[in-house]
Amino acid sequence: MRQKQAFIPTMREIPADAEAISHQLLVKGGYIRQLSAGVYSFLPLGRRVLRKIEAIVREEIDRTGAQEVLLPALQPAELWQQSGRYEVYGPELVRLQDRGGREFALGPTHEEVITQLVAQEISTYRKLPVTLYQVQTKFRDERRPRFGLLRCKEFVMKDAYSFDTDREGLDKTYRSMYDAYHRIFERCGLQFRAVEADAGSIGGEGGTHEFMAIAESGEDDVVTCSCCNYAANMEKAVSRESMELASDERRISAVTRETAAPQQFHTPGMRSIEELIEGLGVSGAELIKTLIYVADGKPVAVLVRGDHSINETKVKNALDAITLELADSETVKRVTGAGTGFAGPVGLTVPILVDYAVSILPSAISGANVTDYHSRNVVPGRDFALTQVGDFRNVQEGDSCPNCADGKLAIIRGIEIGHVFKLGTKYSEKLGAQFVNAAGETHPIIMGCYGIGVSRLLSAIIEQNNDDSGMMWPATVAPYAVHLIPVAHQDAAQMEAAERLYAELTGAGIEVLLDDREERLGVKLKDSDLIGIPLRVVIGKGIAEGKVEWKERSSNSPAVQIAIDEVLASVQTHIVQSS
């Protein structure tokens, strides 16, 4: 491609609404343009990278024996209603009607559609196992699209679905996909971790792992161990402390009946844990934090220690709730009789979920359910019932690892780039995907699903591969392999050498961008650094001696002079080493 005719609209200023570095650089470098909030056009450079990533994904998924299909994005609402996800998915599901009034959804995922397809076409064990996948545009009505391609309303995704006759078959397919994901992300040049995860709205009956690209700009907390390979997202992570308390009998046998009865005392304006710690001179571990939630329309109370935070996913799973949200001030007043910030467990008539760490407190301070008052001498198990006790808190830095004796937990940031699920029979039972086995018995097909955020990978890669000057694409996904830059457009010798190299490289199947623009060298180099092509060859005055300047974009080493006759071999060697 000749840059003079290429559509690469670079920008000099950072877009005002771009927070993430990848968002800033992809827009500045002319890779993407925003059409509306969360909706982007891929310009030629961006499309080339997207195609490279898609090719890697297809190659590795094909290696597992999966077969590619293309499913409709427009899905009948009755399929989602049949699976039970039409309401569960919530407002992020884009819903619409056709002219006949029939309800549809724009697919954020395709479990229902693929399950119905297989139910219609496969009825015997002789046709199983089978895995089908697609690379397709998906839709999600994000409340707050942000960070460019990292949180969009429209995005490209690879989703695969496996169908097996038994759990052993699912385990084998799951491991095959798990390994394929490692190869995909390694080929994309990413630093990543596979972590234990919560199944969320996809659901399922077995294991699930998220693949997280490590990045400070990531929106997800990734919990890792300092000594072993334990890794989980915050929603799923547990500490050894909570695991040990699960079997601790102190909360039942050691109720301190000699402690004085709860006593209310005046705490004007002390609504937060921080205000109580400062105002009372106590630690967070001496306080009970009581928050009122509404789960599927019904209020519940959740109790954690004052120095801990509530894990809403754990709460939601414990209640088997479809929806969970913090109660508004009116609901808090109705449930507790007090304003927000003064709720406590004593005397509440709603269900109470008590974290393990709260259940063993010998005595604590909690809200008194009276505005501007708290209570001291509150004893769990004596002053309020321990009906539902469990792990309802987020782990913290320094907690003990649940997998090994010596490890401490650390929290790093990550970007979710893939997710694999063991679905079991969640969808096959509801949508009638069954098979007849060798004995003539009918059983639901055992399913798994496996997603990769293909367009999201562009941003994840750049979050890990950039510097102050711009992007640094790994060779495997870069839009071009080589950026050829003649210094002076009017210099015949330089242009002749540039054309010679261009023909030689492209003739060898190497993708080249030739900057044939009539621009100053400074402008050309600045654009080159910004768009991040891995290799740059500058043809200047040294061409009189048969020399050109060679620079690797991702290297801190300075540019070097090499013979023009060595360029092709050097490029080929670099490509092989980078693959």
Side-chain angles (χ1 to χ4, degrees):
M1 173 57 67
R2 297 173 184 275
Q3 203 161 340
K4 192 172 184 178
Q5 68 190 60
F7 184 49
I8 308 176
T10 58
M11 299 169 59
R12 292 291 169 251
E13 301 298 324
I14 295 174
D17 63 340
E19 301 173 64
I21 188 65
S22 59
H23 188 189
Q24 297 171 8
L25 293 177
L26 287 169
V27 173
K28 280 187 66 178
Y31 283 75
I32 61 173
R33 284 294 183 268
Q34 180 174 304
L35 177 62
S36 63
V39 181
Y40 289 87
S41 298
F42 285 85
L43 307 189
L45 288 181
R47 181 59 183 142
R48 290 181 71 89
V49 176
L50 193 64
R51 288 179 61 188
K52 297 284 184 70
I53 295 172
E54 289 175 355
I56 291 172
V57 169
R58 283 188 169 96
E59 287 173 14
E60 296 299 343
I61 299 302
D62 285 346
R63 281 180 61 184
T64 70
Q67 303 169 70
E68 186 171 1
V69 296
L70 183 60
L71 303 171
L74 192 64
Q75 305 179 14
E78 54 260 33
L79 271 181
W80 282 72
Q81 292 162 348
Q82 192 174 345
S83 72
R85 288 208 301 168
Y86 194 63
E87 298 303 330
V88 171
Y89 216 89
E92 290 187 353
L93 184 64
V94 180
R95 306 157 203 258
L96 63 155
Q97 292 185 345
D98 66 9
R99 67 180 67 190
R102 188 182 181 191
E103 293 186 357
F104 287 86
L106 289 179
T109 182
H110 277 71
E111 283 78 11
E112 287 81 2
V113 173
I114 195 72
T115 305
Q116 185 198 56
L117 175 64
V118 169
Q120 293 170 341
E121 304 299 330
I122 295 179
S123 59
T124 173
Y125 75 97
R126 298 180 187 279
K127 293 186 178 181
L128 296 172
V130 66
T131 300
L132 305 173
Y133 80 95
Q134 64 173 345
V135 178
Q136 199 223 44
T137 300
K138 309 281 186 167
F139 303 88
R140 184 178 295 134
D141 192 3
E142 288 280 0
R143 176 185 295 180
R144 190 186 174 197
R146 58 190 305 212
F147 301 140
L149 301 180
L150 290 177
R151 186 185 286 185
C152 292
K153 291 188 174 184
E154 179 179 313
F155 52 96
V156 179
M157 180 177 170
K158 186 284 301 177
D159 49 324
Y161 306 91
S162 64
F163 302 86
D164 285 276
T165 58
D166 52 34
R167 302 283 173 173
E168 291 73 20
L170 172 60
D171 290 344
K172 182 178 178 181
T173 305
Y174 188 89
R175 173 52 63 177
S176 177
M177 283 291 177
Y178 183 90
D179 292 342
Y181 275 38
H182 277 79
R183 296 193 300 270
I184 289 168
F185 299 135
E186 286 167 0
R187 289 180 63 183
C188 289
L190 284 165
Q191 299 175 36
F192 66 95
R193 291 289 297 270
V195 306
E196 296 177 16
D198 182 77
S201 61
I202 300 292
E205 304 164 357
T208 176
H209 288 84
E210 284 179 345
F211 287 79
M212 308 291 284
I214 307 306
E216 282 300 318
S217 59
E219 290 192 278
D220 295 305
D221 286 327
V222 179
V223 179
T224 62
C225 175
S226 60
C227 292
C228 73
N229 62 359
Y230 176 77
N233 68 16
M234 183 60 77
E235 295 174 339
K236 189 74 172 179
V238 297
S239 65
R240 180 173 292 274
E241 289 85 351
S242 290
M243 290 178 61
E244 291 174 346
L245 287 174
S247 59
D248 198 315
E249 296 299 320
R250 285 179 291 172
R251 63 178 179 273
I252 298 173
S253 62
V255 174
T256 311
R257 299 190 180 277
E258 296 179 0
T259 301
Q263 179 185 15
Q264 293 184 8
F265 62 103
H266 198 208
T267 52
M270 297 184 193
R271 298 178 182 274
S272 70
I273 293 295
E274 292 74 18
E275 289 167 339
L276 286 169
I277 291 172
E278 183 178 352
L280 302 180
V282 298
S283 69
E286 300 173 73
L287 302 172
I288 295 175
K289 182 191 301 182
T290 304
L291 291 182
I292 308 300
Y293 284 86
V294 176
D296 293 345
K298 298 179 181 179
V300 298
V302 183
L303 276 56
V304 295
R305 237 170 47 185
D307 57 338
H308 292 160
S309 59
I310 292 174
N311 186 309
E312 294 184 355
T313 298
K314 293 178 181 178
V315 172
K316 188 176 180 180
N317 290 341
L319 294 170
D320 196 22
I322 295 174
T323 61
L324 179 77
E325 56 186 11
L326 274 171
D328 58 25
S329 58
E330 182 179 333
T331 302
V332 171
K333 178 74 173 177
R334 175 168 52 84
V335 169
T336 69
T340 301
F342 299 97
V346 180
L348 287 183
T349 59
V350 299
I352 301 176
L353 280 67
V354 184
D355 184 69
Y356 288 133
V358 170
S359 70
I360 64 164
L361 289 173
S363 178
I365 296 170
S366 75
N369 295 324
V370 178
T371 300
D372 287 335
Y373 281 85
H374 282 76
S375 293
R376 57 170 60 94
N377 305 328
V378 175
V379 178
R382 183 194 71 178
D383 300 319
F384 61 90
L386 300 176
T387 305
Q388 188 165 2
V389 180
D391 176 20
F392 302 122
R393 74 171 179 95
N394 288 318
V395 301
Q396 298 182 147
E397 289 268 359
D399 281 348
S400 299
C401 175
N403 275 15
C404 70
D406 300 322
K408 297 297 182 181
L409 298 182
I411 300 173
I412 58 178
R413 303 292 287 174
I415 299 168
E416 183 185 352
I417 51 177
H419 208 153
V420 292
F421 303 81
K422 292 182 180 179
L423 295 176
T425 60
K426 173 181 171 67
Y427 294 90
S428 56
E429 285 185 339
K430 292 179 178 178
L431 294 164
Q434 301 176 324
F435 72 97
V436 177
N437 66 14
E441 302 166 330
T442 300
H443 296 279
I445 297 175
I446 310 297
M447 292 177 58
C449 74
Y450 318 89
I452 289 178
V454 176
S455 53
R456 168 178 278 241
L457 282 175
L458 275 80
S459 286
I461 291 167
I462 292 305
E463 288 294 329
Q464 292 185 353
N465 295 275
N466 68 82
D467 62 13
D468 292 340
S469 299
M471 294 169 274
M472 298 187 295
W473 291 105
T476 52
V477 296
Y480 294 94
V482 182
H483 201 172
L484 282 183
I485 303 177
V487 172
H489 185 272
Q490 68 276 14
D491 188 303
Q494 292 181 22
M495 292 306 298
E496 181 182 347
E499 291 289 351
R500 171 190 158 190
L501 272 180
Y502 183 70
E504 185 177 16
L505 292 170
T506 55
I510 296 168
E511 296 171 318
V512 183
L513 179 63
L514 171 61
D515 193 343
D516 57 347
R517 298 175 298 167
E518 298 179 30
E519 290 280 3
R520 292 179 290 107
L521 178 61
V523 172
K524 292 182 177 184
L525 296 181
K526 194 173 187 66
D527 279 347
S528 180
D529 283 340
L530 175 60
I531 64 179
I533 294 171
L535 298 175
R536 183 170 72 204
V537 177
V538 177
I539 301 99
K541 293 180 179 178
I543 197 62
E545 301 172 0
K547 300 286 187 179
V548 296
E549 183 182 276
W550 168 279
K551 179 75 170 70
E552 295 181 18
R553 178 68 182 90
S554 62
S555 173
N556 291 323
S557 58
V560 296
Q561 295 287 319
I562 67 171
I564 189 171
D565 294 335
E566 297 175 3
V567 170
L568 175 58
S570 298
V571 171
Q572 290 172 327
T573 299
H574 182 273
I575 291 173
V576 170
Q577 293 175 343
S578 302
S579 298

